[in-house]
Amino acid sequence: MLRLIAGMMILIFVLAGCETEKNSFLVGDRQTRRELRKLIGKLDNSDSAPETRFIGNSQIINIYFENGAHQTMNLFLTTYVIKHPDDPYNAYYLLLVAENYKEAEAYPFAIHYFERVLKNYSDLLLEGDRSVHYICLTNLVSMVDEPEIRVNYYKELLERFRENIDLGATYYHLARTYEELGKWDLAMQHFKEYLKYPDTLISGIPNARERVTSAVAFYDMPRKDWTRESLDSLVAMIKDAIWTKNIRRLNSLRSGVDFFVRAWEEEDSEQELELLDDLTVFFEQGQTVRSSA
């Protein structure tokens, strides 16, 4: 008799716990809460195929969206994934969780779920042939701070989704990421790939192509005789050449790539830079040339 009573008490607690969990998924007015309770009840009591459960989940998700209940949706979907670990639509459900966190600017949580989908779940094609993995990767390359991690996401985009991406822009950003890692050979290799796409525009960097062209030209030069081991030694040699009016020596110290001049009084203004091949013009007609250093 005592065992029977104990068993009934355990069952009551289990049922009460389930009811409490269901209540945590309810939002909106009385009618909306009643509809959610009905849909969730069918979901829990059903042994139907994942496709059938997907229809039920979609109805629940739509209700959450209509009520702006993104946090409750996250709780419902993550709980569902735990209960149904083999559901083939789990990648989609967790993608929604990641996007909700991103919209809420909870970026560490968003990154966690984007990475979880990418690493632990097979890819899915959504309506319009949108790849879940592609959506995750395009979010991760813009959100992950660590270049050693971000570089792999760019590489995966290039390996798996070349037909979906702007190849020029992807090569550019991959090259910049290699620069952050100090891997200059790989950076230049991918900058050269970027230069193969002349129509590519890099958002926020209107002169990106000119800068990359100069960097690649500098990298490819077999000899860089104008470089010195330290800035101090370079400045000392320039000052000496100016003082002695040794134009030949001064020209030898001029950068071999895109050497330009700028008017001193317009240093901070926007102006067209003048490329110069010979510094002789500054010493013509007895002009006085001085250094500020």
Side-chain angles (χ1 to χ4, degrees), residues 175-244:
R176 290 297 302 272
T177 306
Y178 276 126
E179 278 189 323
E180 291 183 59
L181 293 169
K183 297 183 177 180
W184 310 116
D185 291 341
L186 287 171
M188 291 302 147
Q189 174 186 326
H190 289 89
F191 274 137
K192 290 177 182 180
E193 291 297 322
Y194 153 70
L195 292 175
K196 295 177 182 178
Y197 299 88
D199 295 330
T200 293
L201 299 177
I202 304 301
S203 178
I205 311 176
N207 62 338
R209 183 161 299 276
E210 290 77 8
R211 292 169 61 180
V212 169
T213 300
S214 296
V216 169
F218 180 88
Y219 176 81
D220 284 341
M221 293 192 73
R223 299 178 62 187
K224 302 177 180 66
D225 296 338
W226 68 91
T227 60
R228 295 297 181 269
E229 291 185 1
S230 71
L231 178 60
D232 289 341
S233 65
L234 177 60
V235 169
M237 296 180 75
I238 292 173
K239 289 173 66 176
D240 182 71
I242 291 174
W243 178 256
T244 60

Side-chain angles (χ1 to χ4, degrees), residues 25-184:
F25 300 144
L26 303 182
V27 299
D29 57 24
R30 180 178 297 180
Q31 181 178 348
T32 302
R33 295 170 72 88
R34 186 184 301 116
E35 185 177 358
L36 278 172
R37 188 185 297 276
K38 180 180 178 181
L39 288 169
I40 294 172
K42 285 183 179 180
L43 201 64
D44 287 344
N45 297 328
S46 174
D47 293 326
S48 55
E51 291 76 13
T52 303
R53 293 200 301 271
F54 178 80
I55 295 173
N57 280 334
S58 296
Q59 292 175 300
I60 294 169
I61 289 167
N62 286 336
I63 292 174
Y64 286 140
F65 272 123
E66 290 170 0
N67 286 269
H70 297 94
Q71 288 186 339
T72 306
M73 184 198 302
N74 288 350
L75 176 62
F76 169 76
L77 291 175
T78 52
T79 302
Y80 177 87
V81 169
I82 292 172
K83 288 183 176 180
H84 304 87
D86 298 324
D87 191 310
Y89 294 99
N90 282 346
Y92 169 67
Y93 300 141
L94 293 181
L95 174 65
L96 292 179
V97 173
E99 291 179 332
N100 282 339
Y101 277 123
K102 180 184 178 182
E103 184 176 345
E105 298 184 359
Y107 299 123
F109 291 101
I111 291 170
H112 167 77
Y113 281 102
F114 282 130
E115 290 183 330
R116 181 174 168 183
V117 171
L118 188 64
K119 295 175 181 178
N120 299 318
Y121 295 91
S122 300
D123 199 5
L124 280 176
L125 290 180
L126 307 179
E127 292 183 9
D129 294 332
R130 294 192 309 138
S131 159
V132 167
H133 280 191
Y134 172 73
I135 295 171
C136 290
L137 285 167
T138 53
N139 278 281
L140 287 168
V141 294
S142 65
M143 296 175 69
V144 172
D145 291 329
E146 300 86 346
E148 62 274 11
I149 298 175
R150 193 169 67 249
V151 71
N152 290 320
Y153 293 142
Y154 278 121
K155 289 167 65 176
E156 190 166 352
L157 276 171
L158 286 166
E159 290 169 3
R160 297 178 56 190
F161 299 104
R162 294 181 67 86
E163 69 281 3
N164 302 106
I165 61 177
D166 182 332
L167 288 171
T170 305
Y171 279 122
Y172 175 85
H173 290 297
L174 176 56
R176 290 297 302 272
T177 306
Y178 276 126
E179 278 189 323
E180 291 183 59
L181 293 169
K183 297 183 177 180
W184 310 116

Side-chain angles (χ1 to χ4, degrees), residues 262-276:
R262 186 198 300 268
W264 183 266
E265 64 275 10
E266 298 177 354
E267 182 177 3
D268 296 324
S269 65
E270 292 185 4
Q271 61 171 319
E272 184 177 349
L273 301 178
E274 180 184 353
L275 300 180
L276 202 61

